[in-house]
């Protein structure tokens, strides 16, 4: 199956674009072609740091036919590479894709080997091609010193992918109109239907026993329902912005039911699924929203409902994690990645609490709670925080109302109450 997945890439190989992310900046892009490179083609910037006569480069693309196993293998591959390769080998995330083709994204890693001899690296890579779902390419400099070439390695059955006479030249190319990761966000990083997320969890059953426990908690099906009698208000925001204090106060002042997403029934499983790759982790959190939605429909026929986080958080964190580099790399306002799932109940009002980052850090230190990997990222990576906040703002259906959470808890409560009266007439 891995061999078929590898072979499926080859017919359009010269049409594919390759991207490599180094130092958290925007990706470097290159393309490949047969024969002599065009006179106007620029030498690839990606290879500029490789000293003449020393060092080689390699790429590995994960080509598993089973996307669940492929996602787990991709997550494990970096540890395998960094643990086995010499310290002089630099490992960077990379991908390959067809421009504007949403199902074409293939992820992997790029190796820049600055050792005097590539023997150790090539031994490991040849071992990978024999038993793992990975396509390996090597890159070398031609005698003129300006042109780099790409060679596809043998597959797991030992048959040559390409003969040496059919080597590819490598050249810089312009990037696509959008960051390449956006080609793989829909129903991989962000889920837009119950069935799509449910199918991922169902496929995990054979390799993650706890996935069956999640399936047992799900509604048998999700269907459109009439709007409840009482409003549903979602409070969003990063950790330590005051969501818990606000939601508890709103529960008391409105006589509302307070719910949380992910729901309490998933809490024992969160730490396990937080260690899984994005595809599986995001499906888990998406399904938490649908479990919460079932409870919303029951409670909102009797009282107003307050939800501590909902789909906005699930989507904003996923988008900010998937898209590397600056905020400008995020999909543009109006992109389909910001659309609300058609089968998920839309709340009456969504409020996002914002807070100065230094004040938020101070509050976090005072709490002393164990933080998720994403919360740790928020702590030391201002860029990631900015992307999360911008993704919040761009999600539509419904859009968010932003409230400054730096004043006292009573002042924040009064400001949110005014929004609720204006929007929900409570």
């Amino acid at each position: 199956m891995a061999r078929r997945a590898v072979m499926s890439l080859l017919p359009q190989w010269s049409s594919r674009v390759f991207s490599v992310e180094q130092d958290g900046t925007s990706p470097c892009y290159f393309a490949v072609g047969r024969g002599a490179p065009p006179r106007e083609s620029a030498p690839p910037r990606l290879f500029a740091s490789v000293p003449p006569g020393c060092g080689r480069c390699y790429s590995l693309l994960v080509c598993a036919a089973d996307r669940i196993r492929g996602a787990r293998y991709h997550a494990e591959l970096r540890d395998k590479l960094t643990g086995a390769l010499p310290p002089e080998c630099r490992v960077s995330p990379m991908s390959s894709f067809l421009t504007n083709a949403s199902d074409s994204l293939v992820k992997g890693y790029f190796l820049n080997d600055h050792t005097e001899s590539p023997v150790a690296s090539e031994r490991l890579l040849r071992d990978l091609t024999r038993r793992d779902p990975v396509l390996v390419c090597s890159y070398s400099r031609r005698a003129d010193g300006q042109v780099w070439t790409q060679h596809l390695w043998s597959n797991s059955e030992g048959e040559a992918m390409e003969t040496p006479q059919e080597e590819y030249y490598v050249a810089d190319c312009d990037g696509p109109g959008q960051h390449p990761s956006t080609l793989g966000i829909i129903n991989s990083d962000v889920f837009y239907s119950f069935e799509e997320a449910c199918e991922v969890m169902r496929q995990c059953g054979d390799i993650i026993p706890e996935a069956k426990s999640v399936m047992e908690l799900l509604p048998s099906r999700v269907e459109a329902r009439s709007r409840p009698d009482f409003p549903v208000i979602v409070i969003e925001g990063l950790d330590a912005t005051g969501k818990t204090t606000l939601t508890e106060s709103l529960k008391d002042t409105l006589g509302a039911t307070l719910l949380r997403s992910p729901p309490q029934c998933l809490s024992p499983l969160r730490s396990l699924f937080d260690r899984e790759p994005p595809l599986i982790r995001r499906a888990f959190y998406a399904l938490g929203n649908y479990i919460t939605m079932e409870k919303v429909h029951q409670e909102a026929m009797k009282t107003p409902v307050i939800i501590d986080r909902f789909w906005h958080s699930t989507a904003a964190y996923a988008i900010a994690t998937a898209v590397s580099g600056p905020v400008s790399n995020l999909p543009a306002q109006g992109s389909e990645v910001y659309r609300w799932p058609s089968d998920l109940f839309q709340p009456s009002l969504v409020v996002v609490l914002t807070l100065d980052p230094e004040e938020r850090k101070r509050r976090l230190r005072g709490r002393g709670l164990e933080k998720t990997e994403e919360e740790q990222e928020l702590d030391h990576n201002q860029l990631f925080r900015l992307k999360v906040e911008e993704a919040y703002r761009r999600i539509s259906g419904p859009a968010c109302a932003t409230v400054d959470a730096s004043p006292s808890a009573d002042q924040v409560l009064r400001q949110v109450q005014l929004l609720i009266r204006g929007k929900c007439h409570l």
Side-chain angles (χ1 to χ4, degrees):
M1 293 179 67
R3 181 175 182 274
R4 287 199 299 270
V6 169
M7 296 300 290
S8 68
L9 298 181
L10 299 183
Q12 296 177 299
W13 192 250
S14 294
S15 300
R16 300 188 73 85
V17 177
F18 301 83
S19 70
V20 177
E21 301 175 8
Q22 295 181 317
D23 301 324
T25 59
S26 293
C28 295
Y29 297 99
F30 67 92
V32 299
R34 286 190 171 132
R39 290 180 180 272
E40 66 275 11
S41 65
R45 291 179 296 121
L46 181 64
F47 305 97
S49 62
V50 181
C54 177
R56 297 192 68 180
C57 300
Y58 308 88
S59 61
L60 301 88
L61 296 174
V62 177
C63 302
D66 180 335
R67 70 172 185 153
I68 302 298
R69 296 181 188 277
R72 297 190 97 200
Y73 177 79
H74 177 265
E76 296 165 358
L77 181 57
R78 186 182 184 101
D79 290 339
K80 185 181 296 188
L81 293 172
T82 54
L85 291 172
E88 295 88 351
C89 289
R90 180 181 182 183
V91 181
S92 304
M94 80 168 298
S95 62
S96 174
F97 56 94
L98 298 170
T99 304
N100 299 323
S102 58
D103 293 328
S104 66
L105 187 72
V106 182
K107 294 181 180 180
Y109 297 98
F110 189 85
L111 310 185
N112 198 327
D113 186 347
H114 284 190
T115 59
E116 293 185 3
S117 171
V119 172
S121 299
E122 297 200 352
R123 184 185 301 117
L124 172 65
L125 297 181
R126 291 198 181 280
D127 187 45
L128 291 177
T129 61
R130 283 196 293 271
R131 55 187 176 81
D132 291 336
V134 61
L135 172 61
V136 176
C137 299
S138 59
Y139 301 81
S140 57
R141 200 190 316 255
R142 285 184 181 171
D144 59 14
Q146 293 297 312
V147 177
W148 283 77
T149 57
Q150 178 197 69
H151 299 268
L152 279 72
W153 283 24
S154 298
N155 64 23
S156 58
E157 295 184 7
E159 299 172 3
M161 291 291 190
E162 300 288 338
T163 64
Q165 290 76 19
E166 295 176 312
E167 68 183 9
Y168 296 88
Y169 67 81
V170 181
D172 269 344
C173 70
D174 294 330
Q178 56 186 343
H179 192 277
S181 63
T182 61
L183 299 173
I185 283 179
I186 293 178
N187 293 325
S188 286
D189 291 287
V190 183
F191 288 87
Y192 298 86
S193 77
F194 173 75
E195 286 302 325
E196 290 285 354
C198 197
E199 181 58 25
V200 169
M201 198 58 55
R202 190 179 296 117
Q203 292 174 10
C204 288
D206 292 338
I207 55 177
I208 306 175
E210 292 81 0
K212 296 177 182 177
S213 299
V214 176
M215 296 295 295
E216 292 171 358
L217 296 169
L218 299 178
S220 57
R221 61 175 180 167
V222 171
E223 55 186 12
R225 303 189 188 188
S226 59
R227 195 166 188 84
D229 295 340
F230 289 88
V232 177
I233 299 145
V234 175
I235 306 300
E236 293 278 7
L238 307 181
D239 279 2
T241 53
K243 293 190 306 303
T244 299
T245 301
L246 176 61
T247 53
E248 292 286 351
S249 298
L250 288 172
K251 179 188 75 169
D252 295 337
T253 57
L254 299 176
T257 298
L258 174 58
L259 302 175
R260 291 181 172 84
S261 188
Q264 184 63 35
C265 62
L266 291 182
S267 293
L269 301 172
R270 284 186 67 177
S271 61
L272 183 145
F273 281 95
D274 279 342
R275 295 192 295 271
E276 291 294 333
L279 173 67
I280 300 170
R281 183 168 73 249
R282 303 307 181 189
F284 171 80
Y285 281 102
L287 292 171
N289 290 326
Y290 287 98
I291 295 173
T292 299
M293 182 180 73
E294 287 296 294
K295 191 67 173 176
V296 168
H297 283 304
Q298 297 170 21
E299 298 299 326
M301 304 306 291
K302 302 176 290 186
T303 67
V305 173
I306 308 298
I307 310 178
D308 186 340
R309 286 190 168 169
F310 199 45
W311 192 79
H312 281 75
S313 283
T314 308
Y317 277 84
I319 293 167
T321 302
V323 180
S324 63
V327 175
S328 59
N329 282 352
L330 290 174
Q333 184 88 35
S335 166
E336 62 178 339
V337 305
Y338 301 118
R339 63 179 167 84
W340 190 270
S342 60
D343 60 358
L344 187 66
F345 171 80
Q346 289 194 19
S348 313
L349 174 66
V350 179
V351 176
V352 175
L353 301 180
T354 62
L355 191 64
D356 175 79
E358 291 306 315
E359 171 61 16
R360 197 183 74 85
K361 287 182 182 180
R362 186 188 68 77
R363 293 185 184 182
L364 277 171
R365 285 195 295 269
R367 290 164 61 172
L369 299 176
E370 183 178 350
K371 291 177 283 190
T372 65
E373 182 178 335
E374 286 170 343
E375 274 301 322
Q376 293 174 23
E377 183 73 3
L378 284 170
D379 269 2
H380 73 263
N381 189 336
Q382 180 184 12
L383 182 56
F384 181 65
R385 177 181 59 80
L386 292 173
K387 288 191 293 185
V388 171
E389 293 177 341
E390 184 59 30
Y392 269 128
R393 284 190 282 269
R394 295 185 185 185
I395 292 171
S396 60
C400 300
T402 301
V403 171
D404 180 10
S406 57
S408 69
D410 286 343
Q411 289 175 291
V412 173
L413 174 61
R414 286 195 292 272
Q415 189 173 350
V416 174
Q417 285 175 322
L418 288 173
L419 286 171
I420 293 172
R421 289 193 194 105
K423 181 72 174 177
C424 307
H425 309 294
L426 285 178

